[in-house]
Amino acid sequence: MTDLTTLTIADAAGALRSGETTPVALTEAYLARIEQHNPLINAYVTVTAERARADAKAAQDELSRGRDRGPLHGIPIALKDLYETAGIRTAAGSKVFEDFVPHEDCPAATKLREAGTILLGKTNTHEFAFGSTTNNVFWGATRNPWNTERIPGGSSGGSGAAIAASLALGTMGTDTGGSIRMPAAACGCAGIKPTYGRVSKRGVFPMSYLYDHAGPITRTVEDSAIMLQAIAGYDPLDPNSANVPVGDYTGRLRDGIRGFHVGLLRGMFADCPDPEINAAVDAAADVLRSLGATVDEVDPGFDRQTTGFAFRAVYAEAHAIHGDNWAIRPGDFGPGMQNVLNAPQPTPREVIDSISAGGRVRAACQQLLTTYDLLLAPTMPVTAPPIGATSMRIGDKEIAVEGLLASLTLPFNLARLPVLSQPCGFSREGMPISLSLVGRPFDEATVLRAGHAYESATDWHLQRPAL
């Protein structure tokens, strides 16, 4: 092997067990690549080289003694800087918490460590995850490895960029309005937002108690399945955790999709002005048909105005989450959060109506899923915009970038359904295009199975940016 950083998690797991490489060699390869490329990409805000080397040595010793913790044993990963990690700063992308060092790992970090992963560091995020670009005013903008003048998506942009630039084998993100799937789409990666409550969010700094999800971003669908298997499960100390049995995400990954019924959400294409994106998703639908699935065009049953209004409740949550710090140190918040917290709070009636609107979106999706096994749509309506762009002209309208990027992902946060984003093409400018596969509640296994079938029939996921 000439470059260990080109492996997938599944491939690296095999190489570790065959003796072709070791956790120490794999970790050193990633630390060297981080040192070389992170100054430009700015995917990491904290690199934990000393911890990584210690983790790698421990993993190597265990594997040599025959103790095998599973497919993540010896795998170098990174965590979005919202995940609390013992002895390692967790700043949540903000100056407010620049000196916060937790005393213990959050449950997701604990599960990954128990699975034998090696922590390379913490990845950049939009301040308090409240944005779609990862243009962080304190830690600097993260750059898209496919074009370093463009954003990587947000708010988990550091995690997406780290995967695209081969600066980690797997990463963790969070998703309130699309913040796992937008970076996955912008950076040409696989990313899954699990069902609400499937993965514990305890110890993960919240943007919204109503709609936050935690999940992985990886190179392939199989790698996402491997990571999700490790972190999924009920947490009795997380009030939003669901006590629902965890499926086997890898066991039937290769069983194909013959006989599946897929609903192509054609109505959502109206909010997707880029004909290249629409054509790529239509072509993906044809691939699914060729694999034995039936694909019908369906109307989603909701519109952008409804989903946008449903998100209003999150602004009320922002005041509840940040109110104490806002009262005593408003100058430590960046301009974006200052705008959020200076804006008039939604009234109680608006909050109730907003939550009700979210419920209508959820009901519409679940009604479709009584007929269809999966729903298919574009992940983002445009490819990654330039860094610093605040709006884009769509037809005769100027639309804010933040709202535009999340317009096709937000509905499925409101619906609280599992959604996989994966690459399905490239634009003429060489930027990734991605599709979304939406499944029934707690049926991540079917979503991942379909994603793997599509991935196995195409080669988009094999492309790598030239850094």
Side-chain angles (χ1 to χ4, degrees):
M1 297 178 189
T2 57
D3 186 354
L4 294 174
T5 65
T6 63
L7 299 174
T8 66
I9 290 175
D11 290 340
L16 288 169
R17 281 149 189 80
S18 69
E20 295 174 83
T21 190
T22 66
V24 169
L26 195 58
T27 299
E28 292 296 343
Y30 274 98
L31 289 174
R33 190 167 174 87
I34 290 167
E35 184 176 6
Q36 179 182 7
H37 293 295
N38 195 62
L40 172 63
I41 301 300
N42 197 32
Y44 285 85
V45 294
T46 302
V47 178
T48 54
E50 185 177 344
R51 155 80 179 266
R53 290 186 170 105
D55 287 351
K57 177 65 165 57
Q60 188 160 307
D61 289 346
E62 287 187 336
L63 287 169
S64 68
R65 296 197 309 269
R67 183 182 181 190
D68 191 337
R69 295 172 182 256
L72 289 174
H73 200 171
I75 299 297
I77 67 160
L79 302 174
K80 183 177 182 178
D81 198 26
L82 300 182
Y83 288 76
E84 292 189 2
T85 42
I88 301 168
R89 183 182 64 184
T90 304
S94 177
K95 186 177 180 181
V96 175
F97 289 102
E98 64 180 337
D99 297 321
F100 175 54
V101 178
H103 296 298
E104 61 182 8
D105 287 345
C106 65
T110 296
K111 286 189 172 187
L112 287 166
R113 191 168 197 180
E114 290 174 347
T117 61
I118 295 159
L119 183 63
L120 295 169
K122 309 293 283 292
T123 56
N124 202 7
T125 173
H126 214 100
E127 185 184 13
F128 292 124
F130 224 109
S132 304
T133 65
T134 317
N135 296 338
N136 189 293
V137 67
F138 303 111
W139 313 119
T142 297
R143 297 178 178 273
N144 192 314
W146 291 96
N147 181 334
T148 55
E149 297 304 311
R150 302 217 182 183
I151 68 166
S155 62
S156 310
S159 293
I163 294 299
S166 297
L167 305 182
L169 264 169
T171 61
M172 288 294 294
T174 63
D175 194 312
T176 308
S179 290
I180 288 171
R181 292 158 291 150
M182 286 185 286
C187 295
C189 312
I192 185 165
K193 177 190 82 65
T195 310
Y196 184 84
R198 172 58 86 196
V199 176
S200 175
K201 301 189 297 289
R202 182 164 56 93
V204 181
F205 195 92
M207 177 180 169
S208 164
Y209 297 107
L210 287 168
Y211 302 124
D212 279 357
H213 302 67
I217 301 175
T218 62
R219 290 180 187 162
T220 68
V221 174
E222 181 177 19
D223 286 358
S224 284
I226 290 169
M227 285 194 71
L228 184 59
Q229 195 77 64
I231 59 175
Y234 176 56
D235 176 5
L237 299 181
D238 177 357
N240 299 306
S241 183
N243 192 2
V244 178
V246 175
D248 182 352
Y249 300 139
T250 59
R252 302 192 62 189
L253 203 60
R254 292 167 173 77
D255 285 0
I257 56 170
R258 184 165 300 281
F260 278 25
H261 296 278
V262 180
L264 178 62
L265 296 174
R266 176 63 65 186
M268 294 183 75
F269 283 52
D271 289 327
C272 190
D274 190 328
E276 287 186 293
I277 293 176
N278 293 337
V281 176
D282 280 335
D286 288 339
V287 172
L288 297 181
R289 291 185 181 102
S290 75
L291 296 172
T294 299
V295 183
D296 300 325
E297 294 189 6
V298 296
D299 189 278
F302 52 82
D303 56 31
R304 189 175 172 189
Q305 184 176 1
T306 301
T307 58
F309 179 74
F311 202 65
R312 285 283 292 153
V314 174
Y315 290 85
E317 289 189 279
H319 285 273
I321 292 167
H322 302 288
D324 289 346
N325 284 319
W326 176 246
I328 60 175
R329 47 193 303 190
D332 286 342
F333 288 79
M337 285 303 300
Q338 289 185 21
N339 289 338
V340 169
L341 296 169
N342 273 321
Q345 293 191 48
T347 66
R349 177 58 184 268
E350 286 176 327
V351 172
I352 292 170
D353 289 346
S354 173
I355 294 172
S356 296
R360 291 195 296 275
V361 174
R362 186 157 54 252
C365 290
Q366 291 184 345
Q367 179 61 38
L368 285 172
L369 289 165
T370 62
T371 301
Y372 296 98
D373 300 295
L374 296 161
L375 305 176
L376 170 65
T379 301
M380 291 202 312
V382 293
T383 57
I387 292 172
T390 57
S391 64
M392 298 183 70
R393 178 162 290 279
I394 307 298
D396 60 351
K397 296 181 179 179
E398 198 75 18
I399 301 178
V401 163
E402 291 284 3
L404 178 65
L405 296 181
S407 60
L408 304 183
T409 53
L410 173 57
F412 307 115
N413 290 84
L414 305 175
R416 300 181 171 184
L417 297 171
V419 190
L420 172 71
S421 178
Q422 65 185 117
C424 65
F426 286 85
S427 71
R428 287 187 299 273
E429 296 179 319
M431 298 306 294
I433 297 171
S434 290
L435 61 82
S436 287
L437 289 170
V438 185
R440 295 170 179 146
F442 301 101
D443 193 13
E444 289 84 4
T446 294
V447 174
L448 291 161
R449 176 177 162 185
H452 185 267
Y454 173 78
E455 188 177 77
S456 298
T458 58
D459 63 359
W460 306 115
H461 64 290
L462 300 177
Q463 311 299 318
R464 295 284 184 270
L467 286 177

